[in-house]
Amino acid sequence: MEKIEEQFANLNIVKRSSGTEEPTYLLGIDTSKTVHAEKGNLVAVLCSNGLIRIYDKEKLNVLREFSGNPGLNGVRFANSSDIVYSSCTDSTVKCWDARLASEKPVQLFKGYPSNIFISFDINCNDHVICAGTEKVDDDALLVFWDARMNSQDLSTTKDPLGAYSETHSDDITQVHFHPSNPNMVVSGSTDGLVNVFDISADNEEDALVTTCNSVSSVSYIGWSGKDYKQIYCVTHDEGFCWWDLNHLDTDEPITCLNIQDVREVIHVKGVILDYLIGGLYHEKMDKLFIVGGTNTGIIHLMSCTTSGLMHVTSLKGGHTATVRSFCWNMQDDSLLTGGEDAQLLLWKPGAIEKTFPKKDSMKISSSVYQRVRTHSNDSYKRKKKAVILH
């Protein structure tokens, strides 16, 4: 098998999105897990203007748009259908059918009155949604819903199963379910804590498997390692932490790597590293990679070992401004990237690079993406329900 480093180094642009008239940051990307023979994969992109755009992956043309105003955070496809989800600052998680032109959500998951959702995920069997809130009245919550569509219940609105309220003390910026265990979920917060839960437990205290401390505000979390028994996080001040949950019941240290500022330890010849975007675990090669970049649009890929981070390759000639989002596809080893230049790019290894007119920078004022904070005085109902689904 070709070395993964060579695979990444051979990534070339095969397609650029046709773009739209309105300049917008591309803040999140996900691809559908279902493949239509006639259409191929769909791509969902979260834009800073409050829209979710659905693209054809190979052509990168916009098929339809969904509006989720006020503020959307994150975008995810279901694992077994073309349903796409996003959490919203209006105390809901919305879902649309990406195959339908109707702009109306097919389902609305309502939170408690004061909730402002800024992170979420759906578990691997599409049964449970979990969303993280901003801190309001000393509370930062993880709220859970039953996501299953019930033919007997045609209601388009669902209330929560319950919430965890004791384990984070500030905004919950990240929620990520385990790729293959539907009961395991990890959360990250501006309080620096990264918590692992088993939601099959009867209450929050029993559900908490372990707490890891990044000592900084968490901007990205993920699962890695064989059987996904490791977790990692990136922080808002460009730090990186990596923990091995296999060592929880042993004398071995749980921390694999802890770097306070990756910019100070990674040396890229002739180019600086300005920020980190996130990480990706390459299952076939059992390797974890960190993705970062420069303010001029260069993307850096770094490999992780317990001895440190190593620069693998840099992807140039694509974006002209900060890259905000990416999505790695394990099936065809392709990479989708989105940035503050409003461009969506598709990269594939070994592809013949086509000639594209490089777009002028469309970098726009960050004031475009300011969340509306509408805090309610109503406190959420303090439900303490088991989240387990049978």
Side-chain angles (χ1 to χ4, degrees):
M1 185 184 287
E2 185 183 23
K3 285 180 66 178
I4 185 63
E5 286 85 353
E6 292 174 9
Q7 221 175 68
F8 282 148
N10 288 333
L11 283 171
N12 286 321
I13 301 166
V14 292
K15 199 71 181 172
R16 292 180 193 261
S17 59
S18 51
T20 57
E21 290 182 9
E22 183 184 0
T24 177
Y25 290 5
L26 305 188
L27 302 173
I29 305 172
D30 197 22
T31 55
S32 62
K33 284 74 176 175
T34 58
V35 178
H36 304 282
E38 73 281 7
K39 291 181 181 176
N41 282 77
L42 299 175
V43 177
V45 176
L46 172 63
C47 305
S48 58
N49 59 3
L51 294 176
I52 289 177
R53 291 197 187 117
I54 305 298
Y55 292 81
D56 175 285
K57 184 184 172 185
E58 296 306 317
K59 297 177 183 176
L60 289 194
N61 58 313
V62 179
L63 301 175
R64 58 193 59 89
E65 293 181 340
F66 302 120
S67 176
N69 287 324
L72 294 177
N73 292 282
V75 62
R76 294 276 187 285
F77 272 103
N79 295 285
S80 56
S81 69
D82 285 333
I83 299 295
V84 65
Y85 300 84
S86 188
S87 62
C88 196
T89 55
D90 67 356
S91 190
T92 64
V93 174
K94 296 178 170 70
C95 80
W96 298 266
D97 189 332
R99 298 163 298 185
L100 302 179
S102 170
E103 193 175 291
K104 190 176 180 183
V106 294
Q107 191 93 50
L108 206 63
F109 299 89
K110 290 184 69 176
Y112 302 107
S114 60
N115 293 162
I116 296 174
F117 295 124
I118 56 173
S119 58
F120 83 102
D121 199 10
I122 185 163
N123 72 346
C124 61
N125 60 13
D126 293 336
H127 286 184
V128 180
I129 290 172
C130 175
T133 72
E134 283 190 353
K135 180 183 177 181
V136 178
D137 296 332
D138 295 327
D139 292 316
L141 308 183
L142 287 168
V143 182
F144 297 87
W145 296 266
D146 183 343
R148 292 173 292 187
M149 302 288 184
N150 188 339
S151 56
Q152 275 77 48
D153 179 14
L154 299 177
S155 167
T156 57
T157 303
K158 285 196 174 187
D159 292 321
L161 292 168
Y164 292 168
S165 61
E166 306 296 329
T167 39
H168 284 296
S169 60
D170 213 333
D171 298 356
I172 300 173
T173 53
Q174 288 281 293
V175 176
H176 202 146
F177 275 100
H178 191 278
S180 58
N181 183 338
N183 291 323
M184 299 296 288
V185 64
V186 61
S187 61
S189 167
T190 54
D191 63 11
L193 300 184
V194 175
N195 291 325
V196 180
F197 298 95
D198 180 348
I199 63 172
S200 65
D202 289 336
N203 56 63
E204 180 177 356
E205 185 178 356
D206 292 342
L208 184 62
V209 175
T210 191
T211 295
C212 303
N213 195 346
S214 72
V215 201
S216 187
S217 176
V218 175
S219 64
Y220 188 97
I221 54 175
W223 297 84
S224 66
K226 186 171 168 51
D227 299 325
Y228 291 95
K229 294 286 184 66
Q230 299 173 343
I231 55 173
Y232 65 91
C233 84
V234 169
T235 66
H236 284 108
D237 53 5
E238 322 315 333
F240 172 72
C241 298
W242 186 18
W243 299 280
D244 193 334
L245 304 182
N246 288 302
H247 296 165
L248 282 176
D249 300 319
T250 72
D251 295 331
E252 294 287 319
I254 188 174
T255 302
C256 303
L257 198 60
N258 188 333
I259 300 173
Q260 199 167 358
D261 190 339
V262 172
R263 294 168 299 183
E264 294 178 356
V265 300
I266 203 82
H267 300 290
V268 185
K269 188 177 179 182
V271 181
I272 59 168
L273 176 72
D274 289 320
Y275 54 85
L276 299 178
I277 312 166
L280 66 92
Y281 174 65
H282 198 290
E283 196 176 69
K284 297 173 194 169
M285 301 296 290
D286 186 24
K287 276 195 173 184
L288 175 61
F289 294 86
I290 299 301
V291 184
T294 72
N295 297 329
T296 56
I298 296 171
I299 300 168
H300 298 313
L301 291 158
M302 296 154 276
S303 64
C304 306
T305 67
T306 51
S307 57
L309 299 179
M310 185 180 73
H311 176 253
V312 174
T313 192
S314 296
L315 305 180
K316 302 176 182 179
H319 292 281
T320 56
T322 299
V323 177
R324 295 287 292 266
S325 53
F326 70 92
C327 184
W328 173 256
N329 189 314
M330 201 73 69
Q331 275 63 52
D332 62 358
D333 294 323
S334 65
L335 180 69
L336 284 159
T337 58
E340 294 184 4
D341 56 4
Q343 288 193 88
L344 177 66
L345 301 183
L346 175 63
W347 309 72
K348 288 188 177 180
I352 298 170
E353 189 163 6
K354 298 173 184 177
T355 305
F356 296 94
K358 190 162 181 178
K359 292 190 177 183
D360 294 332
S361 175
M362 290 178 67
K363 184 170 166 62
I364 49 180
S365 168
S366 59
S367 63
V368 168
Y369 187 55
Q370 288 181 343
R371 284 205 302 270
V372 180
R373 293 171 177 260
T374 51
H375 289 197
S376 165
N377 291 324
D378 300 319
S379 60
Y380 72 97
K381 302 167 189 171
R382 293 182 173 273
K383 293 185 180 179
K384 291 285 184 181
K385 289 184 180 178
V387 180
I388 185 172
L389 295 177
H390 298 286

